[in-house]
Amino acid sequence: MSRHSRHPELHRADRVGWLRAAVLGANDGIVSVAGLVVGVAASGASASTILATGIAGTVAGAMSMAAGEYVSVQTQADTEAADLAMEKRELHEDPHSELDELTAIYRHRGLQPALARQVAEQLTAHDALGAHARDELGITDTLRARPLQAALASAGAFACGAALPVLTALFSSPERVTLATTVSTLLGLCLTGAMAAHAGGAPATRGAMRVMFWGALAMAAAAGIGRLLGAHVS
């Protein structure tokens, strides 16, 4: 009776691209819009003004996150494409030197010269550009720049995160909106921080406390400014 060992390996690096954008977007959505809601509420604004501010902040923030993420990651993608084009040209113009270069890479990683040469030749015969992209340039399919994916993940996560303070403002009275938003925001940040830390392999408690600290600091600053401006305006 033969036994087949199956041990699928799920590496966290596979999710690093979209996870970074999603976590950043969700936390930014919660903190940014909660800060707006708390700040405007502290100034003495009406319930409709507080809600309108939260909704406007959600739309503007989501679009801003999407645009910023897309431009940033597209720049990385353009750089990768330029490097691959250069490598493709060098492989066409001087394949022997490129083979020597690949051999030297494997030798520096610990392979014996003869084995390094054999590995370089076999990988070159299989996929020369892929071998140089991976082992010389450090470009892999897992970590490849994906601008549209990053933009959509960032915008969607921002909107989802911002929904928490907006819904809190919708169902709270102007007198209680500051307290309610603060509590719901800290709980939301605790959840997203713990989930992000767990997905990345870090302690969940540490991740939760980290984002809660910065979220509380941001809301305290927004509330202070709102009270200050509200006092001067009134």
Side-chain angles (χ1 to χ4, degrees), residues 15-45:
R15 65 184 79 146
V16 67
W18 64 264
L19 179 62
R20 180 187 68 84
V23 170
L24 176 63
N27 288 340
D28 196 20
I30 296 174
V31 175
S32 298
V33 178
L36 285 173
V37 169
V38 169
V40 173
S43 70

Short mmCIF file of all heavy atoms in Angstrom, two decimals, residues 15-45:
data_model
loop_
_atom_site.label_atom_id
_atom_site.label_comp_id
_atom_site.label_asym_id
_atom_site.label_seq_id
_atom_site.Cartn_x
_atom_site.Cartn_y
_atom_site.Cartn_z
N ARG A 15 -0.10 36.71 -0.49
CA ARG A 15 -1.19 37.67 -0.31
C ARG A 15 -0.71 39.06 0.04
O ARG A 15 -1.51 39.94 0.34
CB ARG A 15 -2.11 37.17 0.80
CG ARG A 15 -1.47 37.12 2.17
CD ARG A 15 -2.39 36.53 3.22
NE ARG A 15 -2.42 35.10 3.14
CZ ARG A 15 -2.55 34.29 4.20
NH1 ARG A 15 -2.65 34.80 5.39
NH2 ARG A 15 -2.58 33.00 4.05
N VAL A 16 0.61 39.27 0.00
CA VAL A 16 1.14 40.53 0.53
C VAL A 16 0.68 41.74 -0.27
O VAL A 16 0.45 42.81 0.28
CB VAL A 16 2.69 40.48 0.58
CG1 VAL A 16 3.29 40.43 -0.82
CG2 VAL A 16 3.25 41.64 1.37
N GLY A 17 0.51 41.58 -1.61
CA GLY A 17 0.14 42.72 -2.44
C GLY A 17 -1.23 43.27 -2.09
O GLY A 17 -1.39 44.44 -1.74
N TRP A 18 -2.25 42.41 -2.18
CA TRP A 18 -3.60 42.88 -1.91
C TRP A 18 -3.83 43.10 -0.42
O TRP A 18 -4.62 43.96 -0.03
CB TRP A 18 -4.64 41.92 -2.46
CG TRP A 18 -4.64 40.55 -1.84
CD1 TRP A 18 -4.02 39.43 -2.31
CD2 TRP A 18 -5.31 40.16 -0.63
NE1 TRP A 18 -4.25 38.38 -1.47
CE2 TRP A 18 -5.04 38.78 -0.44
CE3 TRP A 18 -6.10 40.82 0.30
CZ2 TRP A 18 -5.53 38.06 0.65
CZ3 TRP A 18 -6.59 40.11 1.38
CH2 TRP A 18 -6.32 38.75 1.55
N LEU A 19 -3.13 42.33 0.43
CA LEU A 19 -3.33 42.49 1.87
C LEU A 19 -2.86 43.85 2.35
O LEU A 19 -3.54 44.52 3.14
CB LEU A 19 -2.58 41.38 2.62
CG LEU A 19 -2.67 41.44 4.15
CD1 LEU A 19 -4.11 41.28 4.60
CD2 LEU A 19 -1.79 40.35 4.77
N ARG A 20 -1.72 44.30 1.86
CA ARG A 20 -1.20 45.61 2.26
C ARG A 20 -2.17 46.71 1.86
O ARG A 20 -2.50 47.59 2.66
CB ARG A 20 0.16 45.86 1.60
CG ARG A 20 0.77 47.20 1.96
CD ARG A 20 2.02 47.45 1.14
NE ARG A 20 1.71 47.64 -0.26
CZ ARG A 20 1.33 48.79 -0.80
NH1 ARG A 20 1.22 49.86 -0.05
NH2 ARG A 20 1.06 48.89 -2.08
N ALA A 21 -2.67 46.65 0.62
CA ALA A 21 -3.59 47.68 0.16
C ALA A 21 -4.91 47.62 0.92
O ALA A 21 -5.48 48.66 1.27
CB ALA A 21 -3.85 47.51 -1.34
N ALA A 22 -5.41 46.41 1.20
CA ALA A 22 -6.68 46.27 1.89
C ALA A 22 -6.60 46.76 3.33
O ALA A 22 -7.49 47.48 3.81
CB ALA A 22 -7.14 44.81 1.85
N VAL A 23 -5.53 46.38 4.02
CA VAL A 23 -5.37 46.80 5.41
C VAL A 23 -5.19 48.31 5.50
O VAL A 23 -5.81 49.00 6.33
CB VAL A 23 -4.18 46.08 6.07
CG1 VAL A 23 -3.86 46.68 7.43
CG2 VAL A 23 -4.49 44.60 6.21
N LEU A 24 -4.35 48.85 4.63
CA LEU A 24 -4.13 50.29 4.62
C LEU A 24 -5.42 51.04 4.32
O LEU A 24 -5.76 52.03 4.97
CB LEU A 24 -3.06 50.65 3.58
CG LEU A 24 -2.78 52.14 3.39
CD1 LEU A 24 -2.24 52.75 4.67
CD2 LEU A 24 -1.80 52.35 2.23
N GLY A 25 -6.17 50.54 3.34
CA GLY A 25 -7.41 51.20 2.97
C GLY A 25 -8.45 51.14 4.07
O GLY A 25 -9.11 52.15 4.36
N ALA A 26 -8.63 49.98 4.69
CA ALA A 26 -9.63 49.83 5.75
C ALA A 26 -9.30 50.71 6.94
O ALA A 26 -10.16 51.44 7.46
CB ALA A 26 -9.73 48.37 6.17
N ASN A 27 -8.06 50.66 7.39
CA ASN A 27 -7.67 51.47 8.55
C ASN A 27 -7.77 52.96 8.24
O ASN A 27 -8.22 53.75 9.08
CB ASN A 27 -6.25 51.12 8.99
CG ASN A 27 -6.17 49.77 9.66
OD1 ASN A 27 -7.17 49.25 10.13
ND2 ASN A 27 -5.00 49.19 9.69
N ASP A 28 -7.36 53.34 7.04
CA ASP A 28 -7.43 54.75 6.66
C ASP A 28 -8.88 55.21 6.58
O ASP A 28 -9.23 56.32 6.97
CB ASP A 28 -6.72 54.97 5.33
CG ASP A 28 -6.41 56.44 5.08
OD1 ASP A 28 -6.40 57.21 6.07
OD2 ASP A 28 -6.19 56.82 3.93
N GLY A 29 -9.75 54.32 6.06
CA GLY A 29 -11.16 54.67 5.97
C GLY A 29 -11.78 54.87 7.34
O GLY A 29 -12.53 55.83 7.57
N ILE A 30 -11.48 53.98 8.26
CA ILE A 30 -12.04 54.10 9.61
C ILE A 30 -11.53 55.36 10.29
O ILE A 30 -12.30 56.18 10.80
CB ILE A 30 -11.68 52.86 10.45
CG1 ILE A 30 -12.34 51.61 9.86
CG2 ILE A 30 -12.13 53.05 11.89
CD1 ILE A 30 -11.93 50.32 10.55
N VAL A 31 -10.21 55.52 10.30
CA VAL A 31 -9.60 56.62 11.05
C VAL A 31 -9.93 57.98 10.42
O VAL A 31 -10.30 58.94 11.11
CB VAL A 31 -8.08 56.44 11.16
CG1 VAL A 31 -7.43 57.64 11.84
CG2 VAL A 31 -7.76 55.17 11.95
N SER A 32 -9.79 58.09 9.10
CA SER A 32 -10.01 59.37 8.43
C SER A 32 -11.44 59.86 8.59
O SER A 32 -11.68 61.02 8.98
CB SER A 32 -9.68 59.26 6.94
OG SER A 32 -8.32 58.94 6.74
N VAL A 33 -12.39 59.00 8.28
CA VAL A 33 -13.79 59.42 8.34
C VAL A 33 -14.25 59.57 9.79
O VAL A 33 -15.03 60.48 10.11
CB VAL A 33 -14.68 58.43 7.56
CG1 VAL A 33 -16.15 58.83 7.66
CG2 VAL A 33 -14.26 58.41 6.09
N ALA A 34 -13.76 58.72 10.68
CA ALA A 34 -14.09 58.88 12.10
C ALA A 34 -13.55 60.21 12.61
O ALA A 34 -14.22 60.91 13.39
CB ALA A 34 -13.52 57.73 12.91
N GLY A 35 -12.35 60.58 12.18
CA GLY A 35 -11.79 61.87 12.57
C GLY A 35 -12.64 63.02 12.07
O GLY A 35 -12.87 64.00 12.80
N LEU A 36 -13.13 62.91 10.83
CA LEU A 36 -14.01 63.95 10.29
C LEU A 36 -15.30 64.06 11.10
O LEU A 36 -15.74 65.15 11.46
CB LEU A 36 -14.34 63.65 8.82
CG LEU A 36 -13.24 63.92 7.79
CD1 LEU A 36 -13.69 63.42 6.42
CD2 LEU A 36 -12.94 65.42 7.72
N VAL A 37 -15.90 62.90 11.35
CA VAL A 37 -17.17 62.89 12.08
C VAL A 37 -17.00 63.46 13.48
O VAL A 37 -17.78 64.32 13.93
CB VAL A 37 -17.73 61.46 12.14
CG1 VAL A 37 -18.90 61.37 13.12
CG2 VAL A 37 -18.17 61.01 10.75
N VAL A 38 -15.96 63.00 14.18
CA VAL A 38 -15.73 63.47 15.54
C VAL A 38 -15.39 64.95 15.56
O VAL A 38 -15.87 65.72 16.40
CB VAL A 38 -14.62 62.64 16.21
CG1 VAL A 38 -14.16 63.27 17.52
CG2 VAL A 38 -15.09 61.22 16.45
N GLY A 39 -14.54 65.38 14.63
CA GLY A 39 -14.15 66.78 14.58
C GLY A 39 -15.32 67.71 14.29
O GLY A 39 -15.49 68.75 14.94
N VAL A 40 -16.15 67.34 13.31
CA VAL A 40 -17.31 68.17 12.97
C VAL A 40 -18.33 68.14 14.09
O VAL A 40 -18.94 69.17 14.41
CB VAL A 40 -17.92 67.69 11.64
CG1 VAL A 40 -19.22 68.43 11.35
CG2 VAL A 40 -16.94 67.90 10.50
N ALA A 41 -18.52 66.97 14.70
CA ALA A 41 -19.46 66.88 15.82
C ALA A 41 -19.00 67.74 17.00
O ALA A 41 -19.81 68.39 17.66
CB ALA A 41 -19.62 65.43 16.25
N ALA A 42 -17.69 67.74 17.25
CA ALA A 42 -17.16 68.54 18.36
C ALA A 42 -17.32 70.03 18.12
O ALA A 42 -17.34 70.82 19.08
CB ALA A 42 -15.69 68.20 18.58
N SER A 43 -17.45 70.43 16.88
CA SER A 43 -17.61 71.85 16.57
C SER A 43 -19.04 72.33 16.81
O SER A 43 -19.32 73.52 16.70
CB SER A 43 -17.22 72.14 15.12
OG SER A 43 -18.17 71.58 14.23
N GLY A 44 -19.95 71.37 17.09
CA GLY A 44 -21.34 71.74 17.34
C GLY A 44 -22.21 71.71 16.11
O GLY A 44 -23.30 72.30 16.11
N ALA A 45 -21.81 71.02 15.06
CA ALA A 45 -22.58 70.97 13.82
C ALA A 45 -23.84 70.13 14.00
O ALA A 45 -23.94 69.31 14.92
CB ALA A 45 -21.73 70.40 12.69
#
